[in-house]
Amino acid sequence: MSGTITLTVLEGTSQGKAFVFDAHDTFLFGRMDDCHICLPHDQLVSRNHFLMEVNPPHACIRDLGSRNGTYVNGQKYGGRQKHETPEEGARRQYPQVGLHDGDQVKVGATTLGVQVKVDKAILQAVLCQKCGKDVTGEAGQGQQGDFMCASCRQQLESGPVDALLDLLQQGQVSHGAQLHLPDYQVQKKLGEGGMGAVYLVKNKQDGRLAALKVMLSKVAVNVDAKREFLREIENTRTLQHKYIVKFLDSGVEKSVIYFLVEYCQGGSVYDLMQRRGRYLTLKEAMPMMLQALEGLAFAHQQGFVHRDLKPQNILLSGVEGQQVAKIADLGLAKSFITAGLSGMTVTGGAVGSYPFMPREQLTNFKYIKPVSDVWAMGATCYNILTGAYPRSYQPGQDPVKIVLNDQVIPIQQRNAQIPKNVAAVIDRSLAQDPKDRYQTAGEMLKALAACC
């Protein structure tokens, strides 16, 4: 733990109430029942007014297209124009604003105070591990460990394997890491996304192929974070299943995180959709959906939650026509967050994941359960069969606002050719209220298999 952040109500009907955060979490303010501070009678407060994300000692806030804006230390952020409807105001994304110790946030009659506490023993300068400049201000007061400045990270984000190989050449190998990367030769880049890049590598000794995923941490990586990350991800070794991508090894070198997993030569389901230039037919997609659900059901039985299901994270092994679908990155997203390596993932990034994110992943971020994976799997099946997302996204709209407020469009409105029984399964998996969904992937698997 790098510290705590306390949010205290200084003025307003909830005066004196305090919220303490010691790990990555979210905080929603507004008039809706599931807001952490709910003020239904304050007419200056919008339904979902602002979202705050904390990852101690960092915190940031984002206005959600509110009617009157959010004030930080007297300065207004966000807020739609008088002539705009809530929908019109949500068409643009409002700035993410960093919060610091002593800041005050004011909305309507409510004022909140921000207190950041860090262990004085770790107050020391942070240097960029690549260029060597003092980046204490960028890393954040109270952070410790290895950190790469934004400029150096930007240079390497398109090819993070270069950063990893450079560190390995310097002989900097994490304690306890079993993977010996010099035994592998990088063949080519397979793809990249919001969490890093993936490379095809070949074992120099036996010629076997594998996939190497390399990510750059967005926060300082200290010894405790490395230990927590490696412990969390080590648990994925137990997930041995024919429909889950086999995890081989992982490590942390400075602020570079890497994984070695089995190589699936068919790419992802998303890649297949792109090659076809369209969505998949039910005949094509059904075996893949059932296989992915079976793999996810096994993970749920073992106590795992994925957190980032989407067509890009369902890989295809084998030759076309005889391909097997496998869940990828299982445990990766959760472990990255648990260890505090991800920076701000809700208010400031993960754009590609928003269409597959259930509402509670924003409102109850810290306590995601298998039922949330069910929503994401339902959204994945929906996208595979229609080429569209369950909610409508338009360019320039704030995706966070859409996740919080927009309703799911029944799948048959997107593709009338989908049989009613299949549509009923997918629509139920996408219910807004978690109680109305299948509670685990196993339940959804059983229902979808009965449609065949």
Side-chain angles (χ1 to χ4, degrees):
M1 182 178 71
S2 299
T4 61
I5 293 176
T6 302
L7 197 64
T8 305
V9 182
L10 304 177
E11 297 176 355
T13 56
S14 300
Q15 186 174 358
K17 195 169 186 179
F19 301 83
V20 181
F21 306 92
D22 60 5
H24 199 167
D25 208 344
T26 55
F27 178 89
L28 185 63
F29 181 100
R31 288 192 285 114
M32 298 289 284
D33 290 342
D34 59 355
C35 291
H36 299 93
I37 289 186
C38 174
L39 301 171
H41 305 300
D42 190 335
Q43 296 305 306
L44 296 178
V45 176
S46 295
R47 290 177 300 173
N48 294 307
H49 199 104
F50 72 71
L51 180 70
M52 182 174 118
E53 184 174 4
V54 297
N55 191 3
H58 300 294
C60 64
I61 193 169
R62 178 162 156 186
D63 186 88
L64 297 172
S66 68
R67 183 177 60 187
N68 297 294
T70 300
Y71 290 80
V72 179
N73 299 329
Q75 183 172 346
K76 183 180 179 180
Y77 294 93
R80 60 183 186 268
Q81 301 299 315
K82 289 183 178 180
H83 65 276
E84 289 182 319
T85 66
E87 291 72 26
E88 289 171 336
R91 287 177 185 166
R92 59 182 180 274
Q93 186 169 315
Y94 294 91
Q96 171 185 305
V97 181
L99 296 176
H100 307 89
D101 185 47
D103 284 351
Q104 291 191 1
V105 178
K106 183 174 177 60
V107 174
T110 300
T111 300
L112 304 137
V114 179
Q115 182 182 33
V116 181
K117 282 189 176 181
V118 295
D119 184 349
K120 292 183 179 179
I122 64 173
L123 293 177
Q124 54 184 303
V126 179
L127 304 180
C128 174
Q129 67 184 62
K130 189 171 187 293
C131 69
K133 71 178 181 180
D134 188 330
V135 288
T136 305
E138 183 181 335
Q141 192 83 39
Q143 285 284 47
Q144 63 171 347
D146 301 310
F147 184 79
M148 193 178 295
C149 71
S151 177
C152 289
R153 191 167 59 241
Q154 185 176 8
Q155 293 175 20
L156 292 169
E157 277 180 346
S158 61
V161 73
D162 297 330
L164 175 58
L165 295 176
D166 182 56
L167 290 171
L168 290 169
Q169 288 172 2
Q170 297 174 28
Q172 297 167 341
V173 180
S174 299
H175 175 70
Q178 300 175 13
L179 179 60
H180 189 55
L181 278 181
D183 289 342
Y184 291 87
Q185 183 178 28
V186 177
Q187 303 289 295
K188 63 178 180 179
K189 181 188 285 189
L190 295 173
E192 58 184 289
M195 292 185 72
V198 184
Y199 300 85
L200 176 65
V201 296
K202 183 178 181 179
N203 190 295
K204 296 177 182 178
Q205 306 300 320
D206 56 25
R208 286 186 297 179
L209 298 175
L212 175 68
K213 185 157 192 172
V214 186
M215 301 176 293
L216 301 178
S217 174
K218 296 184 179 180
V219 298
V221 182
N222 58 38
V223 174
D224 291 338
K226 290 180 183 180
R227 186 183 301 114
E228 175 71 14
F229 175 77
L230 291 172
R231 181 172 65 245
E232 284 282 332
I233 204 64
E234 185 67 19
N235 292 334
T236 62
R237 287 183 184 277
T238 65
L239 294 172
Q240 299 293 320
H241 192 276
K242 59 183 177 180
Y243 298 136
I244 296 177
V245 172
K246 187 176 181 181
F247 171 81
L248 301 175
D249 219 318
S250 69
V252 183
E253 307 299 342
K254 294 289 185 177
S255 64
V256 182
I257 299 94
Y258 60 90
F259 294 82
L260 196 70
V261 298
E262 71 169 294
Y263 171 56
C264 294
Q265 62 269 42
S268 68
V269 172
Y270 173 82
D271 295 330
L272 177 61
M273 294 167 67
Q274 296 300 300
R275 291 196 295 270
R276 300 286 177 84
R278 57 171 174 81
Y279 54 84
L280 304 183
T281 66
L282 182 61
K283 183 178 180 180
E284 293 171 316
M286 183 63 87
M288 301 175 190
M289 296 190 301
L290 292 175
Q291 290 163 358
L293 276 167
E294 187 174 332
L296 186 61
F298 175 78
H300 285 172
Q301 290 169 359
Q302 306 304 309
F304 284 84
V305 178
H306 192 292
R307 278 183 173 263
D308 194 26
L309 286 163
K310 51 190 174 184
Q312 292 91 329
N313 282 337
I314 299 177
L315 303 187
L316 299 170
S317 179
V319 297
E320 193 154 338
Q322 298 179 322
Q323 291 173 322
V324 172
K326 299 190 176 193
I327 296 285
D329 285 354
L330 213 163
L332 172 57
K334 177 180 182 296
S335 301
F336 205 43
I337 290 168
T338 301
L341 302 172
S342 52
M344 300 298 175
T345 61
V346 173
T347 54
V351 174
S353 297
Y354 284 127
F356 305 96
M357 184 182 292
R359 189 176 190 277
E360 69 270 13
Q361 197 157 334
L362 292 179
T363 62
N364 199 19
F365 178 84
K366 195 174 177 181
Y367 300 103
I368 293 299
K369 297 179 180 179
V371 69
S372 299
D373 276 349
V374 168
W375 198 100
M377 181 57 80
T380 297
C381 294
Y382 189 111
N383 183 244
I384 292 171
L385 293 172
T386 68
Y389 302 130
R391 311 180 188 101
S392 290
Y393 288 80
Q394 300 298 326
Q397 284 186 314
D398 189 338
V400 171
K401 187 81 170 180
I402 292 171
V403 172
L404 288 170
N405 290 322
D406 284 18
Q407 298 298 311
V408 167
I409 298 170
I411 192 169
Q412 284 193 317
Q413 290 186 27
R414 303 284 202 190
N415 184 350
Q417 302 302 313
I418 295 174
K420 288 184 178 180
N421 57 351
V422 174
V425 172
I426 294 175
D427 287 343
R428 179 179 171 184
S429 71
L430 293 168
Q432 181 84 303
D433 190 332
K435 297 192 297 295
D436 296 331
R437 297 177 211 149
Y438 304 103
Q439 296 303 292
T440 65
E443 290 183 16
M444 185 179 175
L445 172 63
K446 184 177 179 180
L448 191 59
C451 298
C452 297

